[in-house]
Amino acid sequence: MLSQKGGSKVTSFQHNPTNTAVKEHIRNKLALLPDRPGCYLMKNSEGVIIYVGKAKILKNRVRSYFTGSHNAKTQKLVSEIADFEFITTDSNMEALILECNLIKQHHPRYNVLLKDDKTFPYIKITNEKHPKLEITRRVTKDKAKYFGPYPNAYAAQQTKKLLDRLYPLRKCGKLPDKVCLYYHLGQCIAPCEFPVEQSQYDDMITQITRFLNGGEDSVRQELERKMEQAAEGLEFEKAKEYRDQIVAIDTIMQKQKITLNDALDRDIFGYAVDKGWMSVQIMYMRKGKLIERHGTAFPYYGDEYDDFMSFITQYYSDNPALPRQILLPIPHESSSMKGEEIATWLQEWLKVKVVIPQRGQKSEIVALAVQNAQNVLDEKFKLIERDQERSVVAASNLGKALGIDNLRRIEAFDNSNIQGSNPVSAMVVFTDGKPDRKEYRKYKVKGVEGPDDYGTMREVIRRRYERVLKEGSQLPDLIVVDGGKGQISAAQEILQDELNLFIPVCGLVKDEKHRTAELMSGDPPQIVPLARDSQEFYLLQRIQDEVHRFAITFHRQQRAKSMVESKLDAIPGIGEKRRNQLLKHFGSLKKIKEAEVEDFKPLGIGEKLAATIVAALREDTGDH
């Protein structure tokens, strides 16, 4: 199938369902790839786009996925590819921009996806008849002037506070009928009451722009001159005000670390990769001064420099407030992209100077960004290793305390009911000391009347392990129940006498403050001494807290559902079938209560019954 999208040619192929057919299908398609730049879209067996890439020569790049050897993460991506499309472009620059747009459109699971996990504040001079200063985290193409980013909201607010004192632009969102306090403080020019010439605004905006673009020294000198003049005229209050403004400027300037002699705004990028993860560091230099750095880490699956460039293109497509210069690290030797090409492409697109420094001070700053990126990954993996080691050691030590040689899988149970209503139970699974949430299970208790914890334990243990035996699923190395001797004995009775299973069972006994206090195990159950500050005791606390949370959440859901059903059941003319129809159609009791009589017609409910339903629900909640 061939189709046209703008000036680019799009080629796509339909998926063939069998593995052999898919391989043959892809082999035939590879022969049709052109010697042109463009983008390719990899799809899985369900036709979902899982990866988008760009290429200087589509034929070479796409073929590389299906030939030669790859690392584990790339093999995982390739194993899911069942189809692909490609879009040819007229230039590499077009391919770069198109890739960015396709990623933002389709959100492929294997692509670098830029997440707005941190936005920095900017100072904005609005483009209005009566302009004003604002702090914003959203930069739009509205012809306003943006300055930043600032390292944090406090720094931006302090700078704006100083500018408000120096330059009396309006402060209000909407012009009032008369002058406000800011006018009397000398911080507003009061366009609400007095005519203001455009030249006056232009002069203030020029001075603010000069200040925010690095002209603090000239503003400071002007304030010094005015302070001395006021002091000579014995206007000490005014001289004090100028002095305070000078101190405020000095405070702002001293908080910034000077790193380069020029006054250019720069964004400096560095990245590092390890174990399938990429870390990107952005260092923000404004007016030649380093004001902030920001880092992010994410899994990546393509060529490291290609994915790094994907990050940059997404970053600037969402951020129109551009610096004067962008510094990038040198591409890796194996990269399909060359430094000179990258700089040229980005410059053409962003209309900003892009430099990949080879030596000198700029190169050292990029190296600093790279080192910071590497530090993030090193810290990440050290914490993971430490956490894994702690969890595995905790599980191993717990096993030793209970006489279990190889304790890996723990299944824990907790029951939940309030005065016997809606009794439920829940099970959580911990593998090697860490929760395995996809293995969690919920149980509605069916054969127990009233608050009977032992009966509930017997029913749930029976249902769980009868099914495990029937399906041949993995058995746990340890079962943990919430309680002492009674709950342990109830579980052992079902496991040993009915199912012929001899799995160790332990119980967690709580103190008067409902905290994990003691571990019991054995037949008959005895207290197992564990140090309160040990990793194995901490593991048991986490297990007990997690299974209790899971059970309580499930119980609340069931109670809420039961309350909804009982309210509807209490209305004459509503049986189980109609109750289920109403809930399915409206979605919730609140929506039914808010409905009008005519909204019930699609369900075949007449006006009289509809009015009865609405009146009963509104009366129940006090709404009229």
Side-chain angles (χ1 to χ4, degrees):
M1 179 179 72
L2 296 177
S3 62
Q4 294 291 328
K5 283 188 180 179
S8 302
K9 184 161 66 174
V10 183
T11 307
S12 66
F13 299 83
Q14 300 303 315
H15 163 60
N16 208 322
T18 67
N19 283 339
T20 304
V22 166
K23 290 178 181 177
E24 183 63 26
H25 180 57
I26 288 178
R27 193 178 298 116
N28 291 333
K29 289 170 58 174
L30 293 174
L32 301 178
L33 287 163
D35 295 319
R36 293 190 58 187
C39 290
Y40 51 92
L41 300 87
M42 302 299 195
K43 298 182 177 181
N44 64 12
S45 59
E46 297 175 355
V48 176
I49 295 170
I50 59 174
Y51 187 74
V52 172
K54 62 184 171 300
K56 186 162 59 173
I57 301 176
L58 279 167
K59 180 173 69 175
N60 296 346
R61 184 68 178 131
V62 178
R63 280 180 176 177
S64 70
Y65 285 93
F66 305 99
T67 57
S69 61
H70 302 287
N71 57 32
K73 57 185 177 59
T74 306
Q75 285 177 2
K76 188 175 186 301
L77 164 62
V78 174
S79 69
E80 293 189 32
I81 298 172
D83 196 4
F84 67 80
E85 293 181 20
F86 62 85
I87 306 173
T88 58
T89 59
D90 291 330
S91 69
N92 296 327
M93 190 65 238
E94 283 185 16
L96 187 72
I97 298 169
L98 177 60
E99 180 200 39
C100 174
N101 293 333
L102 290 172
I103 290 172
K104 290 167 68 176
Q105 179 183 347
H106 296 290
H107 301 282
R109 59 175 296 201
Y110 285 110
N111 274 101
V112 170
L113 296 176
L114 178 60
K115 302 211 172 33
D116 294 325
D117 56 345
K118 181 174 177 68
T119 56
F120 291 100
Y122 290 80
I123 291 180
K124 172 182 178 180
I125 307 176
T126 62
N127 180 39
E128 300 173 275
K129 181 180 178 182
H130 303 292
K132 63 176 180 175
L133 282 175
E134 294 178 345
I135 294 175
T136 180
R137 292 181 184 269
R138 183 177 174 83
V139 180
T140 58
K141 295 179 180 178
D142 56 0
K143 297 185 179 179
K145 290 178 177 288
Y146 292 88
F147 303 89
Y150 285 82
N152 50 57
Y154 178 77
Q157 287 163 359
Q158 290 299 104
T159 303
K160 179 181 178 296
K161 186 178 178 181
L162 171 62
L163 292 171
D164 284 338
R165 292 162 65 185
L166 294 174
Y167 307 104
L169 294 178
R170 73 180 176 97
K171 306 293 183 291
C172 50
K174 185 179 179 181
L175 291 182
D177 297 329
K178 58 182 180 180
V179 297
C180 61
L181 179 61
Y182 284 111
Y183 170 74
H184 296 293
L185 292 173
Q187 294 183 24
C188 181
I189 203 167
C192 55
E193 192 158 323
F194 307 108
V196 181
E197 295 292 330
Q198 184 61 44
S199 59
Q200 197 170 356
Y201 280 136
D202 292 342
D203 182 56
M204 281 193 286
I205 289 172
T206 299
Q207 293 184 54
I208 293 170
T209 301
R210 183 184 61 176
F211 180 92
L212 293 174
N213 280 334
E216 302 99 328
D217 288 338
S218 60
V219 174
R220 190 185 187 283
Q221 289 171 6
E222 178 64 15
L223 288 173
E224 282 183 340
R225 185 188 64 78
K226 289 181 177 180
M227 179 182 69
E228 291 170 1
Q229 187 177 1
E232 288 174 3
L234 305 181
E235 298 176 282
F236 299 115
E237 287 294 327
K238 187 177 287 187
K240 181 179 179 298
E241 173 69 18
Y242 290 135
R243 188 201 64 189
D244 291 345
Q245 292 173 5
I246 292 169
V247 170
I249 290 176
D250 290 343
T251 302
I252 290 171
M253 292 175 68
Q254 286 170 7
K255 285 182 179 178
Q256 299 177 353
K257 178 183 176 182
I258 298 176
T259 55
L260 288 177
N261 292 329
D262 60 26
L264 279 184
D265 289 357
R266 291 185 177 88
D267 289 351
I268 300 110
F269 288 84
Y271 79 94
V273 295
D274 192 11
K275 298 180 179 67
W277 280 74
M278 176 178 289
S279 167
V280 176
Q281 281 279 322
I282 313 170
M283 300 176 71
Y284 299 94
M285 187 178 289
R286 296 298 178 260
K287 299 169 291 271
K289 300 162 189 172
L290 187 64
I291 65 167
E292 179 62 296
R293 65 183 179 88
H294 171 53
T296 184
F298 44 82
Y300 79 103
Y301 297 88
D303 173 86
E304 64 180 59
Y305 208 85
D306 282 2
D307 280 2
F308 171 59
M309 291 306 300
S310 292
F311 177 93
I312 289 177
T313 51
Q314 289 180 69
Y315 176 81
Y316 284 118
S317 68
D318 289 332
N319 185 8
L322 294 167
R324 294 284 301 279
Q325 192 177 87
I326 297 170
L327 302 184
L328 300 178
I330 300 170
H332 192 270
E333 290 179 3
S334 63
S335 174
S336 62
M337 307 178 75
K338 303 305 176 187
E340 197 172 308
E341 293 175 322
I342 293 163
T344 303
W345 293 352
L346 282 178
Q347 282 180 184
E348 288 178 10
W349 178 39
L350 299 174
K351 308 297 187 248
V352 168
K353 180 71 174 175
V354 179
V355 179
I356 303 179
Q358 309 285 322
R359 62 186 66 83
Q361 196 173 10
K362 291 176 185 173
S363 176
E364 291 172 4
I365 295 173
V366 172
L368 180 62
V370 170
Q371 184 58 55
N372 275 284
Q374 186 63 56
N375 292 344
V376 169
L377 288 185
D378 290 345
E379 183 179 340
K380 176 183 179 65
F381 292 120
K382 282 177 184 175
L383 288 173
I384 289 173
E385 289 167 8
R386 189 176 172 188
D387 186 42
Q388 287 176 339
E389 182 181 338
R390 185 183 298 156
S391 299
V392 172
V393 168
S396 176
N397 288 344
L398 178 60
K400 289 175 184 176
L402 294 169
I404 302 171
D405 291 335
N406 186 24
L407 178 56
R408 294 202 62 203
R409 183 182 176 96
I410 301 172
E411 296 187 358
F413 295 83
D414 189 19
N415 306 324
S416 181
N417 67 76
I418 297 178
Q419 298 177 344
S421 70
N422 303 103
V424 300
S425 187
M427 181 197 80
V428 302
V429 177
F430 274 61
T431 303
D432 290 330
K434 305 191 87 172
D436 191 355
R437 291 183 175 81
K438 67 179 183 298
E439 296 286 318
Y440 287 13
R441 296 293 182 269
K442 303 172 184 175
Y443 298 93
K444 292 181 186 176
V445 178
K446 300 174 181 177
V448 178
E449 295 294 333
D452 182 357
D453 275 349
Y454 300 154
T456 298
M457 184 61 66
R458 291 188 191 96
E459 177 184 327
V460 173
I461 291 291
R462 182 185 296 113
R463 286 168 59 187
R464 167 61 182 167
Y465 296 106
E466 276 183 346
R467 181 158 189 170
V468 168
L469 290 172
K470 181 180 177 181
E471 295 178 351
S473 303
Q474 182 181 357
L475 287 165
D477 302 308
L478 175 68
I479 294 171
V480 179
V481 297
D482 186 50
K485 294 180 180 180
Q487 281 87 350
I488 294 173
S489 297
Q492 287 174 335
E493 177 187 326
I494 301 301
L495 289 165
Q496 297 174 13
D497 298 347
E498 290 190 21
L499 304 176
N500 200 33
L501 289 173
F502 295 88
I503 303 169
V505 180
C506 70
L508 297 177
V509 183
K510 295 178 181 174
D511 60 18
E512 67 278 0
K513 294 184 179 179
H514 212 67
R515 296 176 302 194
T516 306
E518 292 178 325
L519 172 68
M520 300 192 76
S521 183
D523 190 7
Q526 302 291 327
I527 291 175
V528 179
L530 284 180
R532 285 291 189 98
D533 59 352
S534 65
Q535 287 297 328
E536 48 269 37
F537 191 84
Y538 176 59
L539 171 61
L540 289 171
Q541 284 182 317
R542 282 190 294 144
I543 291 173
Q544 190 167 42
D545 290 345
E546 178 68 355
V547 70
H548 183 67
R549 177 199 65 79
F550 193 51
I552 285 291
T553 302
F554 182 42
H555 183 250
R556 285 172 180 161
Q557 292 170 349
Q558 293 304 305
R559 278 190 67 209
K561 184 179 179 182
S562 177
M563 289 172 65
V564 168
E565 291 174 352
S566 63
K567 285 180 181 179
L568 290 173
D569 287 341
I571 300 171
I574 300 295
E576 182 180 356
K577 185 177 178 181
R578 263 204 176 131
R579 179 192 72 203
N580 293 336
Q581 281 182 329
L582 285 165
L583 289 171
K584 185 177 180 181
H585 180 74
F586 289 101
S588 69
L589 196 69
K590 183 173 181 287
K591 294 289 186 183
I592 300 172
K593 184 185 74 174
E594 294 172 348
E596 301 297 332
V597 170
E598 56 268 20
D599 296 332
F600 292 81
K601 288 182 180 178
L603 298 175
I605 295 177
E607 291 184 7
K608 185 176 179 181
L609 179 56
T612 301
I613 294 169
V614 173
L617 294 178
R618 291 178 180 174
E619 182 180 357
D620 184 59
T621 56
D623 295 339
H624 299 286

